[in-house]
Amino acid sequence: MREEGTLLDAGLRPTRQRLAILRAVAGQGKPVTAQELYSKLRGPRGGPGLATVYRTLRSLSDAGLLRTFPAGEGELAYRLCEPGHHHHLICERCGQVVEIPSCEVEEWAAGVAERRGFVATHHQADIFGLCGNCRAVEPRRARRSA
Ligand SMILES: [Zn+2]
Ligand SMILES: [Zn+2]
Ligand SMILES: [Zn+2]
């Protein structure tokens, strides 16, 4: 099972709870909050409690398996990212996240650091905006409210 190996590689015991939560996050196109995941995992026979979902998500992100994204009002949303250095395009309206596997700012970051006497060890850069779908609905909305 792929998720089991992922957990073991990160030094986490693959408990049933962790596997279920990791799989549930992996199945989402967008980052999910603990609250959303909690509602999703609650079936007719119950599911993990909200505190457990919070705790498990935090341990998965502490282990570097999940990335966190701001979800408003101090909430965090979690997403399973590809391993390795990459950047994100994030839609501010629908929350969709697109991974950009290439890094085009490495040289710029190293240069900026060097000119100020730093040695760059790593950097983070995400781009926020509106995705194609959201841009398509935007003009209609604007006209209606005008
Ligand atoms: Zn990512
Ligand atoms: Zn969007
Ligand atoms: Zn980069």
Side-chain angles (χ1 to χ4, degrees):
M1 213 183 302
R2 209 165 68 95
E3 287 88 356
E4 257 187 85
T6 307
L7 285 169
L8 286 169
D9 287 347
L12 292 175
R13 213 156 46 83
T15 60
R16 203 164 48 89
Q17 210 80 268
R18 284 183 182 142
L19 283 169
I21 287 180
L22 189 60
R23 247 178 243 138
V25 175
Q28 309 298 314
K30 322 191 263 196
V32 280
T33 64
Q35 187 70 55
E36 288 166 347
L37 209 60
Y38 164 73
S39 321
K40 230 159 239 156
L41 291 173
R42 216 168 25 164
R45 302 204 324 274
L50 186 57
T52 306
V53 174
Y54 265 108
R55 199 170 351 102
T56 308
L57 284 171
R58 202 168 326 127
S59 73
L60 293 174
S61 87
D62 285 347
L65 292 178
L66 299 180
R67 264 279 321 254
T68 55
F69 295 88
E73 289 170 20
E75 271 291 311
L76 288 176
Y78 296 81
R79 181 176 193 276
L80 182 68
C81 271
E82 291 296 320
H85 179 73
H86 61 272
H87 296 272
H88 301 103
L89 273 165
I90 301 162
C91 179
E92 290 175 306
R93 190 170 298 269
C94 70
Q96 188 200 161
V97 172
V98 176
E99 296 206 345
I100 310 160
S102 64
C103 177
E104 286 158 30
V105 299
E106 189 83 65
E107 252 176 66
W108 169 80
V112 168
E114 203 186 304
R115 282 194 292 283
R116 288 161 180 82
F118 277 62
V119 172
T121 52
H122 64 284
H123 63 260
Q124 292 181 334
D126 289 340
I127 303 169
F128 294 82
L130 288 178
C131 73
N133 285 339
C134 292
R135 280 182 57 207
V137 299
E138 190 73 349
R140 255 177 285 147
R141 272 200 199 152
R143 262 202 303 276
R144 215 180 309 151
S145 65

